[in-house]
Amino acid sequence: MLDIKVMEILSPKLLKELDKHFAKHMIEEIRIRRKRQAYIVSGGRNILINFIASDDEMIRILKIISHYSLYAYRDTISQGYISLGGGIRIGIIGNASVENGTIVGVYEISEFAIRIPHSIRVNCDEMVKLSRYSSLLIYSPPGVGKTTLLRSMIYKISQGYDAKRVAVIDTRGELCFDLEGEDLLVSVLSGYPRKKGIEIAVRTMNAQIIFCDEIGDEQDAYAITDAQGAGIPIVASCHGSSVAEILSHTGIYNLHKAKIFHHYVGLERGKNKDFLYKISTWREADDSI
């Protein structure tokens, strides 16, 4: 069943079409496209559905998700998304308005990518052991399950006899979904810019381990280096299909040269909702450059 926030966005016709797929598929994303057929993403597959959005439909959806105030959401729209809370993120693309190399607005929206979170726990014991005293960078192409793995690790590390104080830097409001347990030692910094969130986690929250999603730029690198200097392990994720690929990004390469991450973990989908891991030490990663 879809979250009520998502159901309020979708037209009755689209909801009727989606109904045909609920019994067969766990829907991970709904892609609504202007004058093109919509589709869903499930288990890595792209499945077309019988719905094509008109210009009016795209405008209607944009007004609803921005609460009829595009100005209030212009910064995140320019970054390509709007967060609805509860782990729901809507990717937005269209024609970009650019000034001095910076996107200042998006108009004539051509596609919405509604990402649907699910309450899934995966076997993460191996990753939890690695993260107890060392920093990890988890990588995979988009949609494999990095955020699901991070949530499972946060849940496991922050409860029980050996629980640690976990700070979650949740810039886009996705990572903290389904972390509501009253016994979890989790401090969630939701909506904070990643750099500022990490600084607060280190200096005021006395975190024992920090989690953050989808790092990559040089500002992230500076903040993570500061946290590591304070002796706090970090578990982060980034997009990429190999160690060599992720180290080609300037921010992550700088982190690597500073020996911030002790292990790099490649993620693939396995059977029974578990993952397959390809673990590289810092030295093995360095040899791949």
Side-chain angles (χ1 to χ4, degrees):
M1 188 67 181
L2 288 175
D3 187 286
I4 186 64
K5 296 188 188 80
V6 176
M7 294 181 69
E8 289 174 347
I9 295 168
L10 307 181
S11 68
K13 182 180 178 181
L14 179 52
L15 285 171
K16 184 177 180 180
E17 290 299 321
L18 289 171
D19 240 6
K20 300 174 183 177
H21 295 273
F22 278 120
K24 298 179 182 178
H25 307 288
M26 184 176 76
I27 298 177
E28 298 164 11
E29 288 188 23
I30 303 169
R31 298 291 187 106
I32 304 171
R33 304 188 293 169
R34 179 170 61 91
K35 298 181 180 179
R36 293 178 186 266
Q37 203 166 340
Y39 63 96
I40 60 173
V41 179
S42 176
R45 292 179 57 211
N46 302 310
I47 304 166
L48 287 168
I49 58 177
N50 185 27
F51 181 83
I52 296 176
S54 64
D55 289 333
D56 288 345
E57 175 68 3
M58 300 298 281
I59 293 170
R60 184 190 69 81
I61 292 173
L62 183 60
K63 286 180 178 179
I64 293 174
I65 63 178
S66 65
H67 298 92
Y68 296 88
S69 177
L70 292 178
Y71 181 82
Y73 288 87
R74 66 174 182 173
D75 289 341
T76 61
I77 291 174
S78 294
Q79 294 176 46
Y81 73 95
I82 283 180
S83 176
L84 294 188
I88 301 167
R89 182 187 66 177
I90 301 180
I92 302 171
I93 60 170
N95 291 336
S97 178
V98 179
E99 293 181 6
N100 299 320
T102 300
I103 298 175
V104 295
V106 180
Y107 60 98
E108 293 183 1
I109 304 301
S110 59
E111 185 168 347
F112 295 109
I114 306 174
R115 189 170 181 178
I116 310 296
H118 295 277
S119 299
I120 299 172
R121 297 279 177 252
V122 296
N123 186 343
C124 59
D125 291 349
E126 188 175 6
M127 296 302 101
V128 168
K129 288 178 183 177
L130 281 177
S131 68
R132 283 289 177 177
Y133 305 102
S134 63
S135 293
L136 311 180
L137 182 58
I138 297 166
Y139 65 89
S140 78
V144 173
K146 295 184 294 295
T147 302
T148 296
L149 174 60
L150 292 181
R151 286 195 201 109
S152 296
M153 291 179 67
I154 293 165
Y155 191 84
K156 188 146 194 169
I157 290 171
S158 66
Q159 68 171 349
Y161 178 76
D162 292 324
K164 286 193 172 188
R165 297 185 302 276
V166 177
V168 180
I169 316 304
D170 193 9
T171 303
R172 300 173 308 171
E174 292 182 37
L175 194 49
C176 63
F177 170 72
D178 197 31
L179 293 175
E180 303 297 333
E182 294 179 356
D183 60 338
L184 301 183
L185 304 187
V186 174
S187 301
V188 178
L189 291 88
S190 182
Y192 286 71
R194 204 169 286 111
K195 182 177 185 296
K196 180 56 66 176
I198 291 173
E199 289 173 358
I200 292 171
V202 171
R203 295 172 186 169
T204 67
M205 300 307 296
N206 194 23
Q208 292 177 298
I209 185 167
I210 295 172
F211 280 77
C212 55
D213 212 354
E214 296 188 12
I215 66 167
D217 64 25
E218 294 186 60
Q219 289 235 340
D220 293 342
Y222 294 140
I224 289 171
T225 301
D226 286 347
Q228 192 72 84
I232 302 173
I234 285 186
V235 179
S237 69
C238 68
H239 292 316
S241 57
S242 68
V243 169
E245 181 182 334
I246 64 174
L247 292 181
S248 69
H249 300 294
T250 302
I252 293 174
Y253 178 78
N254 290 341
L255 290 169
H256 176 74
K257 283 305 179 185
K259 297 187 176 180
I260 299 301
F261 294 109
H262 303 88
H263 296 91
Y264 297 86
V265 182
L267 200 62
E268 295 181 10
R269 287 182 184 267
K271 296 180 180 179
N272 302 320
K273 298 181 181 178
D274 285 334
F275 294 121
L276 302 175
Y277 305 113
K278 181 178 180 181
I279 302 172
S280 303
T281 63
W282 183 92
R283 174 58 61 191
E284 290 168 336
D286 199 56
D287 290 341
S288 74
I289 299 175

